[in-house]
Amino acid sequence: MTSASHSSPLPLRPPEFSAVPDSADAVLDGLDPEQRAVATTLRGPVCVLAGAGTGKTRAITHRIAYGVRSGILQAGSVLAVTFTQRAAGEMRGRLRQLGAAGVQARTFHSAALRQLQYFWPRAVGGELPALLERKGPLVAEAAARCRVRLDRAELRDVTAEVEWAKVTRTTPEDYPAAVRKAGRAAPRDPAGTSRIYAMYEQLKQERGQIDFEDVLLLTVGILQERADIAERVRSQYQHFVVDEYQDVSPLQQRLLELWLGDRDSICVVGDASQTIYSFTGATPDHLLDFRLRHPDATVVRLVRDYRSTPQVVALANGLLSQAVGRAAEHRLELVSQRPAGPEPVYREYPDEPAEAEATARRIRELIGAGVPAGRIAVLYRINAQSENYEQALADAGVACQLRGAERFFERQEIRQAGLALRGAARAGGNDRVLDGADSLAGQVRAVLSSIGWTHEPPGGSGAARDRWESLRALVRLAEDFQRARPAATLADLVAELDERAAAQHAPEVEGVTLASLHAAKGLEWDAVFLVGLTDGMLPLTHARTPEQIEEERRLLYVGITRARVHLTLSWSLARAPGGRPGRRPSRFLEGLRPSAGGTGGRAAAGGVVRGPRRAERVERGPVTCRVCGRAMTEAVELKLRRCAGCPSDLDEELYERLSHWRAGRARELGRPAFAVFTDATLTAIAERGPVTTAELSAVPGVVPHKVRQFGAEVAAVCAGRAAEMSGPAGPSGREHRETEEDAPENFPQSSQETAGK
């Protein structure tokens, strides 16, 4: 393992806000020649091929801002679309900081929904049907109507097939043929899925409901059939920017064409090598065929990588050099602009717990060497891999945050802080809490102190430290906001927080991030640990066709390019201690990692660095059953601390109360029950009966974020009290899922009205 002394100096935490440029020309300051070409090419079609870490968002936001500030573009005539609410919120924030606050930056779904809400009464009449938040329950009912019983995994698969069919504009009748034509590996008999799909559509129609794909389909239908409405939309939006264009589905592309009409003022940005959502219908073909549709398009390639060291970039380039297929033919060769850093490290371990424990130890070393915990990530292929790392980090006393779990603005302490800040902003000088606070950041610290926050963090880790870190993130945000806008008031900050909450644009929290490779898209960290890199996991076993294998390779590429300085790639030979070491490292590492024959310190100098074997690790012996004393290896037994066949001291009544509580909580959250606690973890809780959050933290399998989210409720249930629910944690769909926004579009009649929005 490379020591911290080999790394280049870490940059200071980038501020959340910056001063607004004082002129249009000042908007261009700091752009490299290619980024400047993007920003100043404001006429005709533009295609930006942007590699990872090359500043694509910077280029397109400066393009929009330069056009608006120079008077070439009207702010209200620009529609910038991307794929997540977080990305759209970040884009709006950047545009405000560049002096282009009136530009609309939205997801495809939110832009379409606003148009649909506005034009539905005129085009169809009456109110827009209710939006179905989750498909799963209705798909399950449709299957039951077709006399098909789906388990949880099958329900997920069929729901995904329905989504794929709709975004590819495939009807239920055409679904079997479309699957064959696309070479798609259908999880079930296509004819049976077709029947369930048809019944699902029938049930929706009977109940007056539409789903997220219907939002796009209905908007496309109205714009195709009503020329007057299409012209109204085109009269408002005359210039389009599309981010992550490699992820556009056929349905989204059709909507974009209808928005654009016969005009050519469009700028698209993407990278075919980062296409990782084809299972949802995304395809890079629209990006790669852009010059065919627009022969006079300006094409700009961004290849200067400002994110990663030359060592990380060399590995990323090497991985793609082995790729095949159309996307590989258009790959971009990145050129690092960073100082040299440590070589990527390759680690092999005997089993998954050993891999997790060694990763946690190395993370502690990095934190001790000055790398903030918030700039470290552990990335894996599937979410089920997270538990070992949550436990290992908790054992090491390192705070972590699970990306895709509880959302920042829906945490109990953040909701409480929001209410307190809003109240203080309304009271102004009449709130005694603000007495003596001589700055905006000082006011925020004073308000948060009134609800229990302290300037110094609590000792150790756990729920108290997690809560402190969340509130500290608000303080840092206020400090950045004050630096960028010295005249800002507490009310201005509250408005900023409200907008960020709507867009799920959370500030950085000081905790190690645990995330799937899909959820990591668009993010970056100083240190990245890519774990579980075995054949069967990356690529996944069910990836069989050449196209599917190449998408798995691109997923690893996305993971590698998240790292700024430190990068560790690891795998384990067995699942559990004592298991058969039959796994092999991912085939994608062949030709990239050094020979497995060496055991030197750095991967570049001496081959794969092998983790310590279980026999060498004297600090942890075998886990034995608390009843019979036998050594245990199975995950469920380790969690219960007893053999499966040994007598249980389970409190049956408590287990029933916990099960009832879990079912209700799962319904509130819109998640399956196991996502709250697995059956094994619930059994372990019922056997121990913890009545405090500290006792709950000691139960194997109960990780810190679960203690923070559910600890008080579980303790209340175990103590025989009614659990006081802390509120829903929000939708739990895929990270790239788009969600709707609330207000309808106004569609002003004049350009003056448009510019004034």
Side-chain angles (χ1 to χ4, degrees):
M1 178 68 72
T2 304
S3 68
S5 62
H6 290 102
S7 66
S8 56
L10 295 173
L12 296 174
R13 183 177 62 87
E16 294 273 1
F17 307 95
S18 57
V20 176
D22 58 11
S23 67
D25 287 341
V27 171
L28 303 177
D29 290 346
L31 300 182
D32 68 27
E34 294 79 22
Q35 293 170 343
R36 183 177 284 256
V38 174
T40 55
T41 306
L42 298 171
R43 307 290 186 189
V46 177
C47 179
V48 183
L49 302 176
T54 58
K56 67 179 180 64
T57 306
R58 177 180 175 84
I60 59 175
T61 52
H62 282 67
R63 178 184 191 269
I64 295 169
Y66 178 71
V68 170
R69 297 286 298 275
S70 63
I72 298 174
L73 305 177
Q74 294 294 317
S77 70
V78 180
L79 177 59
V81 290
T82 187
F83 282 81
T84 67
Q85 293 285 36
R86 184 186 185 280
E90 182 180 348
M91 191 177 292
R92 286 193 295 270
R94 291 199 190 196
L95 289 169
R96 280 199 309 273
Q97 292 173 29
L98 293 170
V103 173
Q104 295 291 311
R106 304 196 174 279
T107 65
F108 272 99
H109 279 86
S110 66
L113 180 61
R114 289 164 71 91
Q115 293 173 19
L116 199 59
Q117 289 171 328
Y118 185 82
F119 289 114
W120 185 268
R122 181 193 306 184
V124 181
E127 293 186 0
L128 183 69
L131 187 63
L132 184 66
E133 292 290 341
R134 296 187 299 125
K135 291 186 183 69
L138 199 60
V139 172
E141 183 177 344
R145 294 280 187 97
C146 296
R147 300 182 182 276
V148 176
R149 183 172 182 175
L150 302 176
D151 62 26
R152 186 181 296 115
E154 291 170 328
L155 177 59
R156 183 182 63 243
D157 289 342
V158 172
T159 301
E161 288 303 291
V162 169
E163 292 177 350
W164 174 82
K166 299 189 76 164
V167 300
T168 56
R169 307 176 74 189
T170 301
T171 65
E173 300 76 26
D174 294 338
Y175 170 77
V179 166
R180 288 193 299 272
K181 183 177 180 181
R184 186 173 178 85
R188 290 179 58 84
D189 170 44
T193 300
S194 174
R195 289 191 294 273
I196 296 172
Y197 176 16
M199 180 58 69
Y200 166 78
E201 292 296 315
Q202 180 181 324
L203 290 175
K204 269 201 297 104
Q205 186 173 8
E206 290 174 357
R207 296 172 188 183
Q209 294 177 312
I210 59 174
D211 59 27
F212 279 97
E213 289 71 37
D214 290 330
V215 170
L216 301 183
L217 286 163
L218 291 169
T219 305
V220 164
I222 288 175
L223 295 179
Q224 286 180 156
E225 296 173 10
R226 292 289 298 269
D228 58 326
I229 293 177
E231 188 54 40
R232 181 79 181 277
V233 173
R234 293 168 191 158
S235 68
Q236 172 162 354
Y237 294 129
Q238 298 159 25
H239 310 282
F240 296 86
V241 176
V242 186
D243 193 13
E244 304 286 6
Y245 194 54
Q246 77 278 351
D247 288 334
V248 166
S249 70
L251 179 56
Q252 290 164 333
Q253 175 64 21
R254 180 55 184 152
L255 178 59
L256 181 62
E257 291 167 355
L258 290 166
W259 282 340
L260 192 62
D262 58 2
R263 298 163 300 176
D264 64 358
S265 185
I266 180 171
C267 174
V268 300
V269 189
D271 178 9
S273 296
Q274 296 188 68
T275 304
I276 58 173
Y277 293 120
S278 66
F279 60 91
T280 69
T283 171
D285 290 345
H286 305 301
L287 174 68
L288 300 178
D289 291 339
F290 190 81
R291 284 290 297 272
L292 297 178
R293 298 193 306 276
H294 302 279
D296 58 339
T298 299
V299 178
V300 182
R301 289 175 171 81
L302 303 183
V303 297
R304 301 175 197 248
D305 187 320
Y306 297 95
R307 175 187 298 158
S308 304
T309 63
Q311 288 76 11
V312 173
V313 167
L315 178 58
N317 286 338
L319 177 68
L320 287 190
S321 70
Q322 300 177 354
V324 297
R326 192 176 184 213
E329 294 170 1
H330 294 80
R331 70 184 182 90
L332 299 168
E333 187 86 11
L334 300 178
V335 181
S336 175
Q337 307 298 298
R338 294 280 308 263
E343 293 288 342
V345 173
Y346 300 81
R347 285 276 189 173
E348 181 178 281
Y349 297 97
D351 52 66
E352 290 180 3
E355 185 179 6
E357 290 169 10
T359 299
R361 285 197 301 272
R362 177 55 183 154
I363 287 173
R364 283 198 64 173
E365 292 173 4
L366 288 172
I367 294 172
V371 182
R375 295 211 220 150
I376 301 173
V378 178
L379 307 181
Y380 35 76
R381 177 62 180 86
I382 61 174
N383 288 321
Q385 293 171 272
S386 72
E387 187 169 353
N388 279 330
Y389 295 90
E390 294 176 71
Q391 188 66 57
L393 289 168
D395 291 345
V398 176
C400 66
Q401 52 180 328
L402 193 64
R403 185 163 183 84
E406 184 187 25
R407 295 186 178 188
F408 178 82
F409 288 102
E410 290 154 359
R411 295 178 184 176
Q412 185 175 11
E413 63 268 23
I414 297 303
R415 294 200 302 270
Q416 183 184 9
L419 290 173
L421 290 169
R422 190 170 289 106
R426 283 198 300 266
N430 297 322
D431 192 332
R432 297 185 61 183
V433 170
L434 302 180
D435 290 350
D438 57 359
S439 66
L440 174 59
Q443 290 177 334
V444 171
R445 284 191 287 267
V447 172
L448 298 185
S449 295
S450 72
I451 62 172
W453 184 74
T454 58
H455 290 263
E456 295 298 322
S461 60
R465 182 58 184 254
D466 290 344
R467 183 178 188 276
W468 187 91
E469 293 289 2
S470 296
L471 296 176
R472 173 60 182 147
L474 291 183
V475 173
R476 287 199 307 267
L477 189 74
E479 292 167 349
D480 286 341
F481 195 69
Q482 177 182 296
R483 277 193 292 269
R485 306 177 194 178
T489 65
L490 193 56
D492 295 329
L493 178 64
V494 168
E496 172 71 21
L497 290 173
D498 286 343
E499 178 156 347
R500 281 171 166 263
Q504 291 300 331
H505 182 192
E508 183 179 284
V509 176
E510 284 303 315
V512 173
T513 298
L514 301 179
S516 70
L517 288 166
H518 281 103
K521 180 77 163 60
L523 303 174
E524 58 187 67
W525 296 270
D526 290 336
V528 168
F529 292 81
L530 298 175
V531 300
L533 301 182
T534 59
D535 254 14
M537 186 57 72
L538 192 71
L540 278 177
T541 302
H542 67 63
R544 297 185 178 92
T545 68
E547 293 78 11
Q548 291 169 340
I549 295 294
E550 288 306 309
E551 180 144 340
E552 295 284 301
R553 187 193 306 275
R554 294 193 294 269
L555 199 54
L556 179 57
Y557 173 78
V558 166
I560 290 170
T561 55
R562 300 310 96 194
R564 297 189 188 108
V565 180
H566 303 279
L567 177 63
T568 300
L569 304 94
S570 65
W571 58 93
S572 54
L573 300 178
R575 183 181 64 82
R580 187 175 67 85
R583 292 173 169 176
R584 297 183 56 204
S586 170
R587 71 191 72 172
F588 299 142
L589 301 181
E590 294 177 7
L592 299 177
R593 66 185 179 97
S595 166
T599 57
R602 288 205 315 174
V608 174
V609 182
R610 298 191 184 278
R613 294 289 169 178
R614 181 65 59 168
E616 300 169 359
R617 298 173 56 237
V618 297
E619 75 277 10
R620 174 175 169 177
V623 178
T624 58
C625 173
R626 57 188 167 87
V627 180
C628 71
R630 182 182 68 84
M632 301 181 299
T633 60
E634 292 301 317
V636 171
E637 293 180 339
L638 293 171
K639 187 171 291 186
L640 296 176
R641 293 292 191 267
R642 63 172 173 80
C643 300
C646 283
S648 169
D649 49 1
L650 175 71
D651 183 332
E652 296 285 355
E653 183 183 355
L654 175 56
Y655 185 84
E656 288 302 316
R657 294 203 309 270
L658 287 167
S659 297
H660 179 74
W661 165 82
R662 181 180 65 169
R665 208 64 173 91
R667 283 194 299 272
E668 283 187 8
L669 300 175
R671 300 175 185 170
F674 73 85
V676 178
F677 286 117
T678 64
D679 289 345
T681 300
L682 208 67
T683 299
I685 294 171
E687 288 188 349
R688 295 200 177 195
V691 295
T692 67
T693 55
E695 292 175 357
L696 180 64
S697 299
V699 177
V702 181
V703 291
H705 84 271
K706 293 291 182 72
V707 175
R708 184 183 66 230
Q709 190 174 8
F710 304 124
E713 300 170 30
V714 172
V717 173
C718 291
R721 304 189 304 272
E724 182 179 342
M725 302 299 184
S726 59
S732 60
R734 289 189 295 269
E735 174 65 21
H736 66 283
R737 164 74 68 200
E738 302 171 63
T739 55
E740 76 287 355
E741 295 179 2
D742 46 11
E745 192 70 88
N746 291 323
F747 288 95
Q749 297 283 352
S750 66
S751 59
Q752 288 82 3
E753 290 176 312
T754 303
K757 284 188 64 179

